[in-house]
Amino acid sequence: MKDLNEKIVNNQLEPISFTNVTIHDKFWEPRLKTHKSTTLKACLDQCEKTGRILNFAKAAGHMQGEFEGIFFNDSDVYKVLEGVAYSLMSHPDPSLEEKVDGIIDEIASAQQEDGYLLCYFILKEQDKKWTDMDKHEMYCGGHLIEAAVAYYNATGKRKLLDVACKLADHYDNTFGPGKRHWVPGHEEIELALVKLYRQTKEERYWKLANWLLEQRGHGYGKGVIWDRKDWGPEYCQDDKPIREMTDVSGHAVRAMYLYTAITDIAKVTGDQGYINALDRLWESVVLRNMYITGGIGPSKHNEGFTEDYDMPNDTAYCETCASVGMVYWNHRMNLLNGDSKYADVVERAMYNGVLSGISLSGDKFFYVNPLSSNGTHHRVEWFNTSCCPTQLSRFIPSIGDYSYASSEQGIWVNLYVESSVSIPVEESHVVLRQKTHYPWNGKVEITVESDRKNNCDLNLRFPGWCKSAQVYINGEPVQKLVTEKGYIKLNKTWEPGDTVIVNFDMPVERVHAHPKVKANEGKVAIQRGPLVYCIEHVDNEKKFESIEITPDTKFLVKQNPDLLGGITTIHGISEKDKEFVAIPYYVWDNREPGPMNVWINENKN
Amino acid sequence: MKDLNEKIVNNQLEPISFTNVTIHDKFWEPRLKTHKSTTLKACLDQCEKTGRILNFAKAAGHMQGEFEGIFFNDSDVYKVLEGVAYSLMSHPDPSLEEKVDGIIDEIASAQQEDGYLLCYFILKEQDKKWTDMDKHEMYCGGHLIEAAVAYYNATGKRKLLDVACKLADHYDNTFGPGKRHWVPGHEEIELALVKLYRQTKEERYWKLANWLLEQRGHGYGKGVIWDRKDWGPEYCQDDKPIREMTDVSGHAVRAMYLYTAITDIAKVTGDQGYINALDRLWESVVLRNMYITGGIGPSKHNEGFTEDYDMPNDTAYCETCASVGMVYWNHRMNLLNGDSKYADVVERAMYNGVLSGISLSGDKFFYVNPLSSNGTHHRVEWFNTSCCPTQLSRFIPSIGDYSYASSEQGIWVNLYVESSVSIPVEESHVVLRQKTHYPWNGKVEITVESDRKNNCDLNLRFPGWCKSAQVYINGEPVQKLVTEKGYIKLNKTWEPGDTVIVNFDMPVERVHAHPKVKANEGKVAIQRGPLVYCIEHVDNEKKFESIEITPDTKFLVKQNPDLLGGITTIHGISEKDKEFVAIPYYVWDNREPGPMNVWINENKN
């Protein structure tokens, strides 16, 4: 195996952690505050109320009682802990930390001598451990690892990390070359083991991640994941080895977690077979199976994919977790390739399909994110399978991960968020301050706040939704603009106080679906900047049914500081008295219940 | 006949003369200055040098010599005088006025006892007067009338107006019901007689204009205009009566002048047959025969139309005069209908196909305005048939005519030009000040400067090229926007100091031709706001031939205060190192000669 620290793949970027980023953004800051004040607390409360945390105390023998809930419920606790960890990194909170330390004590106590840890089997079916590849043992372990790494970095406390390592060692002792085969039915462990390797530098974890990926597609899952229920091997991406994969299939979240791990590993190894498979899979997902919201997986049946261009709106499944998975995967694809088309997907999913998953109040959630509703689909406080709320509890505090990246010769600005960032460049740090009212306005101002000069490229993503822009350095229009893979590449010796201003033109755009998407024949969607809009009944009471967009329809763009946390509405105005109001998709179902549509009838006459 | 002052047609607007408009516009003011300092002088000099003015002295018997030049050369002198008159209205100039008074003396002296006036026949073929309907006798007379009305309004001097009335009386004595038939081969007299009627209130001129329109399409022109050269009756719009006209045909300038007169008359009479014909003709011209530049008439052969969608680029004739004719006609269509789609055409023609007709220096002209050049097509100082330079000499100083209009209940802003205007509304005046950097920027600020309150509609054109906008009244976003026929209708009791701000989103747009336009298959044009752009060799030397636009092409929009009088360039930037620079079409051929294209190859891969 090659030296893991060697940079093999061209263009590859290094991530900049959200811990290097201070967000001052009017769009995101309220969401971060609500996350801390409400979402984390709501998720912790629910984990307590529903017995998810008590399962650990029972498994530890600290209290009596049967396992409560579904077999993979441990994962929710881990995901909330991961969210707590990220929150503590930016907002220390001793009482919260103390509470979590108590939970971690129970988790550690529940771990068995050999390292095994899943409350369900410990409490319910000790003899059935490692007999059913679809019982999410490693899925839950993966989430434990992610939480442990996060909590260690947040607090310096090793206890959970030690549990994680002991668990990973148990996996490594049980499975691997010359030992047992194993195909994790729900991927997650693979990307987690890469994280654990990065944290501990323990190569066994890296090798196990690689080995687990290579286990897929050889039939080892037959009868122990698939071919025993109504699923075939595609359901859990076990139908063929990775290097042969061509099209996305099966359960959407599983696919995203798998692709995320493949990308992590390909970035280090440069494995061309993996990279080619990723390129094929990306085209399959993004060009033929992605909703305009960045949502994926049209079907409730398999929580996943059916066939290309099958994109119903009212029954669109588009699980919140899957959109978060799109962010994870596409962010890594961008780190691998340095191509803004991946950041475009990160942005699309984040501002639309992910954010719609949580209410403005921060305590109600969508599992399913359809693009059309008859008025009966609403966010709720919790689910029996509550992966989505806990997904958001860990995703939101880490959104700063997606704004910046670095490479040997440059700084990369991927998402426009008002923030400050410190980026390591050539044994120094470049400090930037970004000012913007994005996503409401396309003006971005970036000021160099470092105290020394740096010659490097400043790579600014030219968003896919944007056709034209104006770029100024220190007030002067840039003479000749160079773009590379969708980034504006500005090179100079940057001095303290240097300011770059970019005005990205942000008109309202009509978007048509691919002609093969039958559900959207004769329909059009409207988008402004990264935000997909929808029409809700509450804004369009009497005429909701008759709303249509004609060639003459013009759009009034209006700031509403007091509406839904401060949004820009789009007012369709046409000659036929078919005026309508559209709001960003991510804020729908935050007022009176009623029908909603993203795709609007188009009248071409 | 109905009372001519009765308003019959709904929505009709009253024109606001440029004399009520003070232009402070950075785009137009330099052109107005150049017009006064250079263009007028150049055209006057040319009329002297080429014998056009001396022909009048000869016809008056004030000097010896033969008629020099082409039979319709008188018209150029009249058009320059009209331009001088408009210039004098805004910029008094006693020495210029004195010079023109001298020319008018010669014109008056040349007029014959019975009122007849055309130097060609007076000097060359007295016995052939009124024998050839295509010898432009009334065409020249029409231009005399327009000049006379303008000069009277500019100076209060009646001499030329008296000549014009005497000439019109001669026409009226010679032609009309019970008298001789006449079909003017080159229309112009009809719209001029309407002007003369408006000025003098002499109904005979109005009736003669109507009668002349009704002469068409009955075969009176056979053998005396058409069917003797290689033209049929369509060449001069004499193939059918006006009410039966369906499709544009023949000579483009003639068609425009005819349609202008029809619209003038329909606006007063409300004649539904005329209005229906105009609607059909407008669709024929604008939807099936207009270039993206607002140019019309693809063929050099007939200086006019061929068949629908026949739009070659390199051989596009697009006579400058025809684009000016599009402005005249479409402005009147808007006055008749109050529909912004007509103002869209005014703007398109004015900022592209018209303005390309004159060099930035103001003394060189295009007769022909192709959309592609191999580098050999250049503006020149004068032509044997010099209708286009003299057309511009009268058009440019009157551009203020097209910005505003009024109706009983409202003010209409049709073109965005930094200016002040005084508009009569309900026995009072509303004074507005418009601030804007249009066409470079979509922000428009309109402040009420009247000293009293006025309740009226402020109708702001929502440009056809613009999809979305933001509208504020006194800093507050407008709550509900009403549009009607493409105008934003703002109603309130306007108070001094009230300010309306509109931001029209102005991104770079890709434009595709109608699929039936074969010349533009596989090509795309770029437009920003009202301006059509082109690529010139001088900006794109080595790569001109290989320039293409791909789906990934992004556009950098750059102000260049020192280039070509201050323009915004568009830089196409793409992944394939096919960067290119585009400039507004209207400024092409103002630097080193070289190839030019409006339509650019599109690579969809």
Side-chain angles (χ1 to χ4, degrees), chain A residues 556-582:
Chain A
L556 171 68
V557 174
K558 204 175 93 187
Q559 296 108 304
N560 297 273
D562 301 325
L563 181 64
L564 292 166
I567 60 168
T568 293
T569 48
I570 295 177
H571 300 245
I573 46 183
S574 65
E575 300 300 322
K576 290 181 179 174
D577 279 333
K578 297 264 173 72
E579 288 84 1
F580 63 86
V581 178

Side-chain angles (χ1 to χ4, degrees), chain A residues 39-58:
Chain A
T39 310
L40 270 186
K41 189 174 175 318
C43 289
L44 269 174
D45 285 354
Q46 291 287 353
C47 282
E48 281 178 342
K49 263 200 287 193
T50 58
R52 280 167 166 83
I53 292 173
L54 290 182
N55 282 336
F56 288 99
K58 293 173 189 167

Side-chain angles (χ1 to χ4, degrees), chain B residues 232-277:
Chain B
E234 296 85 359
Y235 173 65
C236 50
Q237 301 78 42
D238 193 25
D239 52 320
K240 54 186 71 155
I242 287 165
R243 289 181 187 77
E244 295 170 23
M245 290 180 173
T246 55
D247 291 273
V248 71
S249 65
H251 188 279
V253 180
R254 299 180 193 214
M256 290 306 105
Y257 287 6
L258 172 63
Y259 301 166
T260 299
I262 300 171
T263 315
D264 271 341
I265 283 175
K267 182 166 186 291
V268 175
T269 64
D271 186 309
Q272 201 57 48
Y274 276 21
I275 289 171
N276 293 346

Side-chain angles (χ1 to χ4, degrees), chain B residues 168-204:
Chain B
D169 291 340
H170 168 65
Y171 297 164
D172 189 47
N173 293 333
T174 312
F175 308 100
K179 290 169 270 186
R180 289 183 59 185
H181 288 295
W182 194 261
V183 181
H186 193 313
E187 300 91 328
E188 154 67 20
I189 183 63
E190 304 84 350
L191 72 88
L193 285 169
V194 173
K195 270 195 184 177
L196 190 61
Y197 157 70
R198 288 204 183 112
Q199 182 66 49
T200 63
K201 305 295 175 204
E202 178 57 66
E203 286 206 9
R204 281 181 296 125

Side-chain angles (χ1 to χ4, degrees), chain A residues 463 466 469 485 554 557 559 575, chain B residues 463 466 469 472 485 554 557 575:
Chain A
C466 178
K485 293 190 176 181
K554 302 284 191 178
V557 174
Q559 296 108 304
E575 300 300 322
Chain B
C466 178
Y472 306 85
K485 292 189 176 182
K554 302 285 191 178
V557 174
E575 299 301 321

